[in-house]
Amino acid sequence: MSESGALHLSTGLHGKTIDKDQLDSTVEQYAKYHDLHGGDEEFRKSNYSDLVKKYYDLVTTFTEYHWGQSFHFAPRWHGETLRESIKRFEHFITLQLGLKKGMKVLDVGCGIGGPLREIARFSSTEITGLNNNANQISRGKELISLAGLSEQCNFIEGDFMNMPFPDNTFDAAYAIEATIHAPDVLGAYREIYRVLKPEIELGCGLPDVRSTRECIQAMKDAGFEVIFAKDLAEDSDCPWYHEIDPGHFSLKSISTSRVGHLLTRAIVGTLEFLRIAPKGCNRLFSILQTASHGLLTGSREQIFTVTFFVLGRKPLKESEI
């Protein structure tokens, strides 16, 4: 990360997620959800909504600045940039779902709406983004307005475990790296199933601590007919974790290299020491590094993937045939 990037992370130039005075306490509250700081799985599940809100309050500004407005990975080809691969993956989802003008689509766990905007432009569909984080929704609304998509896209604040929509509302739905936050993945799929019209498809990019078999079975148990399931990394020229591998060095990826990590830590630490950046920035950077290391280690050992894709259909009931 460049010096300006580290300054952006430390001072929060978008500045709408957390007040500077609250950053340190928010980092502390988030850390307590995890095992190393006295938390456990049941505690995280019972407080999943607050856990997820705090996480994205902490990392949204950094992620948008460093990664872009689509907060997900994608299969990648040689010679393809990160952002090109992300856009291609979003187009892949559009085509797999057969999206077309006139359809109403749900983005489950939409972040600040990067995929939502790209898929809306590519498919001419109307897309609703569901998110439990008010700060991300506020940022997302700014971005759809700048993109001229306010008539085509919208955001709803809500929990995907208890969606604020009537049955049979949407023609299609997708979730990209979102259901990992569900305390009960079957419950999340059942809610998606409920709000979908029959004979419509659901595409999910699933970065999950559950096995791929468990994810497929949860889809079936929720009522979906599973049409297609595959780890798209199998056909990818480059590993999906290429961009976060500190051992990979190029001028474009210097921010994620070991040198970049050391430089960023030094800048963030110095800014916090000088009280230019709020207390807690250095600890937040450590949390982000730990997460990156976990993703990298798990993927190299082939026990974790973020490119597992499932395509399912909500079948017609016998009375509707």
Side-chain angles (χ1 to χ4, degrees), residues 56 71-75 89-90 92-93 96-97 106-109 115 119 160 173-182 185 189 192 202-210 212 215 219 228-233 304-312:
Y56 283 109
F71 293 2
H72 65 84
F73 292 89
F89 181 59
E90 292 164 359
F92 169 81
I93 290 173
Q96 287 292 312
L97 292 175
L106 176 65
D107 183 331
V108 182
I119 291 172
F160 59 46
Y174 60 88
I176 308 175
E177 300 185 18
T179 56
I180 190 173
H181 298 299
V185 69
Y189 289 163
I192 297 170
L202 163 74
C204 292
L206 302 173
D208 220 320
V209 291
R210 305 158 185 104
T212 54
C215 292
M219 289 277 289
F228 173 74
K230 183 178 181 178
D231 185 358
L232 300 179
F304 184 83
T305 179
V306 299
T307 54
F308 185 64
F309 181 84
V310 182
L311 182 66

Side-chain angles (χ1 to χ4, degrees), residues 10 28 34 36 67 98 108 134 153 157 175 198 211 266 284:
S10 300
E28 179 66 25
H34 298 280
L36 292 175
W67 197 259
V108 182
C153 304
E157 185 175 354
S211 70
L284 173 58

Side-chain angles (χ1 to χ4, degrees), residues 259-290:
V259 173
H261 284 179
L262 291 172
L263 180 61
T264 301
R265 178 176 290 281
I267 294 172
V268 171
T270 301
L271 291 172
E272 184 174 330
F273 177 76
L274 295 174
R275 298 187 179 181
I276 297 173
K279 185 179 180 183
C281 281
N282 211 29
R283 190 175 183 190
L284 173 58
F285 180 71
S286 295
I287 289 173
L288 293 171
Q289 276 199 307
T290 300

